[in-house]
Amino acid sequence: MVQRQFPKPAEVMEFLKIKLPEFGKDARLKKAFTVYDLRDIAKRRTPAAAFDYTDGAADQELSMTRARQAFEDIEFHPDILKPAANVDTTTQILGGTSAMPFGIAPTGFTRLMQTEGETAGAGAAGAAGIPFTLSTLGTTSIENVKKANPDGRNWFQLYVMRDRDVSYGLVERAAAAGFDTLQFTVDTPIAGNRMRDGRNGFSIPPQLSIGTILNALPRPWWWIDFLTTPKLEFASLSTTGGTVGDLLNAAMDPTISYDDLEIIRKMWPGKIVIKGVQNVPDAVKLIDLGVDGIILSNHGGRQLDRAPIPFRLLPQVVKEVGNDATVMVDTGIMNGQDIVAAMALGADFTLVGRAYLYGLMAGGREGVDRMIEILSSEIRRTMALLGVSSVEELEPRHVTQLTRLVPVGE
């Protein structure tokens, strides 16, 4: 029988740890343990139109949902009694080193999400030792991104515009600024049907209406930041006005072809990768044409809904071209385990877009730092639990892709 006694006051006091409540940016970021936590904070702090531009996708948003589901539908196979006390996450990518097997993907109109925009992203990437990619539709100039990340790796994402001279000029400026890799994007001849933007009346620049004013009332800091900081500076667009879809359709050229790739390839002195590859034959053809790599991507589900899932496509592409070129993957990555799984199945690198923007909206530069910290911690922990000490040790045997969607006839 358990012997009972009156508790001693001194012993009771040992359990009483009164902690004063914390407030402010540092406090809210400390409470974020996952990228989804950052997303929740971002949603509370950002007007609906700007948040939904980041969070949303095309049409029914099936491509985005399926991409995330594909990463969740995996099974890991750890090795036992294989110590991995000192996990090394560094990897070689496109002629340089990255401290982590992921970099920051290109995102458009970024300062509309949070006023620090690409400056925060580039600075955080440089501090973490990972690449940062500036979008053609970024809201910070090529030269200012270089200033924010002077010693790190900067990549540039290129859209081919109707006015080819604009595109050529961007290529020349990025090369002159020391950007080492060009992401030639091929999945955006026209804008996808991003219905959240239409429903929210999202425009560039944002327009005040009764709806936006009501939505802004609990988020005054966003409007204060927007109205008291310099006017948006686009990497390429000299004029703005209208919805995002209007801007994309006015700028992009649906006649983009392999001829454009040949011209840009001759202009660019560094590495060139093609972003938006969605099938094996296109991957093979591009590698035969001599590009340095490909990015399996359906644009985060923001272009063609029901498009192929990049992570599901990865093993087939690696089997065909993995020995001849760099294969990267984006779309749907929300956890460091997603990155480990992609690397195990043969990816050379991964890119995160929404995860970066959730961190940015949650806390500016510090929020992006926190996002990188979260993903990095998840990667290290997953590798250690798998019994893997380096990225190079990850193999297809460590992962099984489970499936809910099986093509008819298979």
Side-chain angles (χ1 to χ4, degrees):
M1 185 173 179
V2 176
Q3 183 178 354
R4 299 187 181 278
Q5 64 185 26
F6 286 106
K8 298 177 181 179
E11 292 177 349
V12 173
M13 292 303 296
E14 293 180 7
F15 296 100
L16 294 177
K17 302 289 185 181
I18 299 175
K19 187 177 181 180
L20 296 176
E22 296 180 306
F23 302 98
K25 183 188 298 185
D26 290 344
R28 67 172 178 267
L29 293 178
K30 284 181 182 178
K31 295 177 182 177
F33 296 98
T34 69
V35 170
Y36 282 106
D37 289 341
L38 291 174
R39 177 187 179 275
D40 291 341
I41 298 170
K43 187 173 184 179
R44 294 196 299 268
R45 296 190 59 80
T46 311
F51 177 82
D52 279 347
Y53 171 74
T54 296
D55 195 60
D59 294 298
Q60 294 175 265
E61 304 187 351
L62 295 174
S63 288
M64 178 181 67
T65 301
R66 290 175 180 176
R68 288 180 176 171
Q69 189 67 62
F71 279 114
E72 294 176 4
D73 288 346
I74 65 166
E75 182 177 81
F76 282 121
H77 306 290
D79 294 328
I80 61 170
L81 300 178
K82 186 179 179 184
N86 299 307
V87 172
D88 181 6
T89 60
T90 59
T91 187
Q92 297 298 309
I93 181 70
L94 296 169
T97 300
S98 177
M100 287 286 159
F102 70 92
I104 292 181
T107 60
F109 312 114
T110 310
R111 282 190 55 218
L112 283 174
M113 311 307 110
Q114 201 272 353
T115 188
E116 296 175 55
E118 292 88 357
T119 299
I130 64 174
F132 174 83
T133 313
L134 174 64
S135 169
T136 291
L137 300 179
T139 45
T140 303
S141 70
I142 291 168
E143 293 76 17
N144 284 337
V145 165
K146 178 65 175 179
K147 290 179 182 178
N149 187 22
D151 301 315
R153 298 190 66 188
N154 293 308
W155 296 353
F156 186 73
Q157 175 266 335
L158 180 72
Y159 287 122
V160 172
M161 318 285 277
R162 293 177 186 271
D163 185 344
R164 293 297 195 272
D165 287 339
V166 172
S167 297
Y168 300 158
L170 292 170
V171 171
E172 293 169 349
R173 284 173 58 192
F179 285 47
D180 65 76
T181 296
L182 186 74
Q183 294 182 14
F184 185 93
T185 299
V186 296
D187 60 359
T188 317
I190 62 172
N193 184 27
R194 304 171 193 177
M195 292 193 288
R196 290 203 215 182
D197 295 345
R199 290 173 178 141
N200 286 324
F202 184 51
S203 63
I204 310 292
Q207 300 297 310
L208 289 172
S209 65
I210 293 177
T212 57
I213 290 172
L214 290 174
N215 186 256
L217 288 177
R219 305 169 179 85
W221 47 79
W222 188 93
W223 282 101
I224 291 170
D225 282 345
F226 180 76
L227 295 172
T228 60
T229 53
K231 184 179 179 180
L232 294 182
E233 178 184 23
F234 288 87
S236 61
L237 299 179
S238 57
T239 59
T240 60
T243 67
V244 173
D246 292 337
L247 290 172
L248 287 174
N249 286 330
M252 303 306 134
D253 191 342
T255 69
I256 181 176
S257 70
Y258 280 96
D259 291 338
D260 293 294
L261 171 59
E262 183 178 359
I263 294 170
I264 299 298
R265 185 70 190 98
K266 291 178 180 178
M267 293 181 62
W268 181 251
K271 302 288 186 180
I272 186 168
V273 297
I274 310 304
K275 183 177 185 294
V277 179
Q278 298 177 64
N279 62 60
V280 174
D282 280 345
V284 172
K285 182 173 182 178
L286 288 165
I287 302 310
D288 288 343
L289 290 174
V291 302
D292 298 294
I294 57 174
I295 302 174
L296 302 178
S297 171
N298 64 29
H299 217 99
R302 298 164 71 79
Q303 285 299 107
L304 176 66
D305 205 12
R306 298 178 173 86
I309 302 167
F311 179 60
R312 292 292 309 279
L313 185 62
L314 176 63
Q316 304 169 52
V317 172
V318 169
K319 181 179 179 181
E320 292 294 328
V321 304
N323 292 328
D324 302 315
T326 297
V327 178
M328 298 186 278
V329 65
D330 73 13
T331 302
I333 294 173
M334 292 287 284
N335 190 291
Q337 291 188 331
D338 304 341
I339 295 169
V340 172
M343 300 299 288
L345 291 179
D348 294 295
F349 204 62
T350 63
L351 294 163
V352 297
R354 283 190 181 89
Y356 148 55
L357 293 178
Y358 293 144
L360 179 68
M361 290 186 287
R365 164 64 192 271
E366 292 89 343
V368 183
D369 289 334
R370 181 61 178 152
M371 180 278 299
I372 294 173
E373 181 182 11
I374 289 170
L375 290 183
S376 299
S377 175
E378 291 168 343
I379 290 169
R380 290 191 181 95
R381 182 168 54 252
T382 303
M383 290 174 61
L385 290 171
L386 286 173
V388 171
S389 297
S390 68
V391 174
E392 289 73 20
E393 292 180 22
L394 289 167
E395 298 177 354
R397 67 181 181 84
H398 287 116
V399 178
T400 295
Q401 285 183 308
L402 309 177
T403 182
R404 302 175 189 223
L405 302 173
V406 179
V408 173
E410 293 191 8

